[in-house]
């Protein structure tokens, strides 16, 4: 992205920019690479959007993306603090006892950092019955990324406007086989069919994180924790509450983030019923998940899983060689408003809403992207960790907006 800060000069206060607006180049998906509409997509609420002004074709900056110059808000200077239920994200201070080096060690993250994140989530979200942390990944670039082994939870930056899941799950259910083998495409099915429907979390971490308590991936716990659902997911039984998936994002480097900032779309500026193209992605079961795109819907590619050895199974003992996720890739709209928190440090976090089962008008998911500053040396890399949490609400707290 290109930073051209408004005001007489770029100022610094406590290490952060005090300018209200900044221009960024946002990498949207191009309409030129959209597949032909599939009748099944329309049935599942995934019809491709019609052409809209400004969507356009790939730019010289990228053969795949359509870059748009956007005037983003400085999140540090918002008149009102952003919230999960309104904008789809929130920002705050949060210290950690972890050293920089420990974030690269899966066992240290599991035993030391995940309890910190669980406590933060319970303080931040009202009415939490259970906070089941099921995944994490570290992101960086350059030599450190190239040196990371296949078992490491290390990923590159996600520099495309996207959400981490979709609200709808198509034909999936807890009881019927998936049209795409073990295919937890939506947030609902990710929570029910994957986190509480397989042994993935236990295998990838060696044991379930301490915050799981007595909860285990079983059908009884599925019925106990989740409410019935028929629109987003075919799971008519349940006596529990609503649920969310949240992502707790933190820089882990020693200084402030100067490159590959995280840009966040204000959820109130993209209608929740707006339908956008999406992509299906295969993940293996390492922490973070090594990924590859499907090609024309074929599922015969394989992914190496050196640290799990094919030991991931569903509740019936069926082996899962991979899981399938669906990411929404929104097209450009002039109504979109973006927020950036410049110069984030390792004692600050962003909490992003990946999915919310409630349909009462609050924002159900967040859209975001990494953005690059061409004025900063390419050798400068961001180091960050993100932790994914399944948050189950008490039934009494589920309906409060």
């Amino acid at each position: 992205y290109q930073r051209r800060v408004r005001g007489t000069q770029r100022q610094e206060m406590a290490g952060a920019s005090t300018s209200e607006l900044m221009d960024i180049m946002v990498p949207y998906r191009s309409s030129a690479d959209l597949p032909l509409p599939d009748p099944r997509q329309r049935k599942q609420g995934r019809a491709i959007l019609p052409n809209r002004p400004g969507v356009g074709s790939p730019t010289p900056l990228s053969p795949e993306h359509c870059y748009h110059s956007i005037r983003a808000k400085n999140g540090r200077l918002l008149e009102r603090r952003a919230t999960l239920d309104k904008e789809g994200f929130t920002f705050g201070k949060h210290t950690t006892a972890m050293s920089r080096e420990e974030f690269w060690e899966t066992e240290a993250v599991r035993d030391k950092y995940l309890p910190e994140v669980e406590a933060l989530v319970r303080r931040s979200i009202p009415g939490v019955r259970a906070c089941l942390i099921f995944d994490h990944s570290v992101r960086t670039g350059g030599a450190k990324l190239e040196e990371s082994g296949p078992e490491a939870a290390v990923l590159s930056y996600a520099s495309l406007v996207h959400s981490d899941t979709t609200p709808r799950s198509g034909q999936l259910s807890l009881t019927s086989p998936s049209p795409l083998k073990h295919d937890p495409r939506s947030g609902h099915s990710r929570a029910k069919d994957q986190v509480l429907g397989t042994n993935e979390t236990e295998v990838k971490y060696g044991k379930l994180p301490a915050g799981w308590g007595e909860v285990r991936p079983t059908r009884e716990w599925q019925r106990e924790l989740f409410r019935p659902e028929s629109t987003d997911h075919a799971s008519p039984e349940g006596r529990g509450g609503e649920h969310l998936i949240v992502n707790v994002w933190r820089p882990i480097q020693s200084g402030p983030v100067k490159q590959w900032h995280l840009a966040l779309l204000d959820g109130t500026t993209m209608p929740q019923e707006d339908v956008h193209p999406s992509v299906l992605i295969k993940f293996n079961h390492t922490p973070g998940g090594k990924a590859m795109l499907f090609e024309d819907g074929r599922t015969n590619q394989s992914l190496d899983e050196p640290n799990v050895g094919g030991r991931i199974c569903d509740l019936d003992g069926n082996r899962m060689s991979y899981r399938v996720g669906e990411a929404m890739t929104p097209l450009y709209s002039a109504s979109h408003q973006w927020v950036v928190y410049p110069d984030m440090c390792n004692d600050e976090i962003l909490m992003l809403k990946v999915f919310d089962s409630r349909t009462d008008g609050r924002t159900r998911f967040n859209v975001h992207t990494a953005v690059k500053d061409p004025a900063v040396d390419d050798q400068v890399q961001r180091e960050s960790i993100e932790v994914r949490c399944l948050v189950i609400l008490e039934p009494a707290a589920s309906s409060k907006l």
Side-chain angles (χ1 to χ4, degrees), residues 287-360:
K290 302 297 183 183
M292 66 187 302
L293 290 175
F294 274 94
E295 297 178 0
D296 301 324
R298 292 193 298 270
T299 61
N300 57 353
Q301 301 102 328
S302 62
L303 289 169
D304 293 331
E305 303 179 58
N307 74 330
V308 297
R311 291 179 285 121
I312 307 297
C313 299
D314 63 18
L315 297 182
D316 295 317
N318 299 311
R319 178 184 171 184
M320 297 177 60
S321 58
Y322 58 83
R323 67 176 174 85
V324 178
E326 184 173 28
M328 184 185 298
T329 52
L331 301 179
Y332 169 78
S333 172
S335 67
H336 290 172
Q337 293 182 8
W338 288 86
V339 177
V340 174
Y341 292 84
D343 303 310
M344 280 188 66
C345 295
N346 58 17
D347 62 348
E348 297 175 317
I349 62 95
L350 285 165
M351 188 178 295
L352 286 60
K353 183 182 286 188
V354 176
F355 175 76
D356 195 326
S357 66
R358 294 168 290 185
T359 58
D360 54 6

Side-chain angles (χ1 to χ4, degrees), residues 137-398:
S137 57
V138 177
R139 292 189 188 270
T140 190
K144 190 136 190 162
L145 175 64
E146 295 174 0
E147 293 167 1
S148 64
E151 298 183 15
V154 182
L155 303 176
S156 60
Y157 315 117
S159 54
L160 174 66
V161 174
H162 69 282
S163 68
D164 290 340
T165 188
T166 55
R168 299 294 300 277
S169 61
Q171 306 302 312
L172 302 182
S173 73
L174 289 170
T175 56
S176 63
S178 164
L180 286 173
K181 175 176 154 184
H182 298 295
D183 181 8
R185 291 167 62 171
S186 76
H188 234 109
S189 52
R190 177 73 166 119
K192 295 183 178 181
D193 301 324
Q194 191 76 23
V195 180
L196 279 176
T198 75
N199 63 345
E200 180 192 276
T201 302
E202 182 175 6
V203 171
K204 76 168 64 169
Y205 285 116
K207 61 181 179 180
L208 288 174
W212 278 59
E214 61 180 353
V215 177
R216 295 294 182 269
T218 66
R219 289 187 176 86
E220 179 56 31
W221 275 111
Q222 289 172 343
R223 289 189 290 268
E224 175 66 23
L225 294 177
F226 296 111
R227 63 159 175 80
E229 173 61 33
S230 59
T231 301
D232 285 347
H233 191 274
S235 47
E237 296 183 354
R239 49 185 178 269
E242 304 282 356
H243 68 276
L244 303 83
I245 298 176
V246 297
N247 180 344
V248 178
W249 188 94
R250 174 198 297 274
I252 60 176
Q253 60 206 55
S254 56
V257 173
K258 294 295 184 182
Q259 183 65 285
W260 295 108
H261 299 264
L262 194 63
L264 308 156
L265 180 63
D266 181 342
T268 65
T269 67
M270 189 179 91
Q272 296 293 289
E273 67 277 6
D274 208 359
V275 179
H276 291 267
S278 61
V279 293
L280 293 179
I281 308 172
K282 285 174 57 173
F283 297 90
N284 70 6
H285 301 288
T286 57
K290 302 297 183 183
M292 66 187 302
L293 290 175
F294 274 94
E295 297 178 0
D296 301 324
R298 292 193 298 270
T299 61
N300 57 353
Q301 301 102 328
S302 62
L303 289 169
D304 293 331
E305 303 179 58
N307 74 330
V308 297
R311 291 179 285 121
I312 307 297
C313 299
D314 63 18
L315 297 182
D316 295 317
N318 299 311
R319 178 184 171 184
M320 297 177 60
S321 58
Y322 58 83
R323 67 176 174 85
V324 178
E326 184 173 28
M328 184 185 298
T329 52
L331 301 179
Y332 169 78
S333 172
S335 67
H336 290 172
Q337 293 182 8
W338 288 86
V339 177
V340 174
Y341 292 84
D343 303 310
M344 280 188 66
C345 295
N346 58 17
D347 62 348
E348 297 175 317
I349 62 95
L350 285 165
M351 188 178 295
L352 286 60
K353 183 182 286 188
V354 176
F355 175 76
D356 195 326
S357 66
R358 294 168 290 185
T359 58
D360 54 6
R362 72 188 77 212
T363 295
R364 299 188 69 192
F365 56 87
N366 169 258
V367 171
H368 51 276
T369 182
V371 286
K372 183 182 179 183
D373 187 347
V376 176
D377 190 332
D378 281 346
Q379 299 305 310
V380 176
Q381 303 295 339
R382 179 244 286 172
E383 297 177 2
S384 60
I385 188 171
E386 53 205 61
V387 176
R388 300 171 185 90
C389 317
L390 170 58
V391 181
I392 311 291
L393 301 180
E394 294 282 2
S398 294

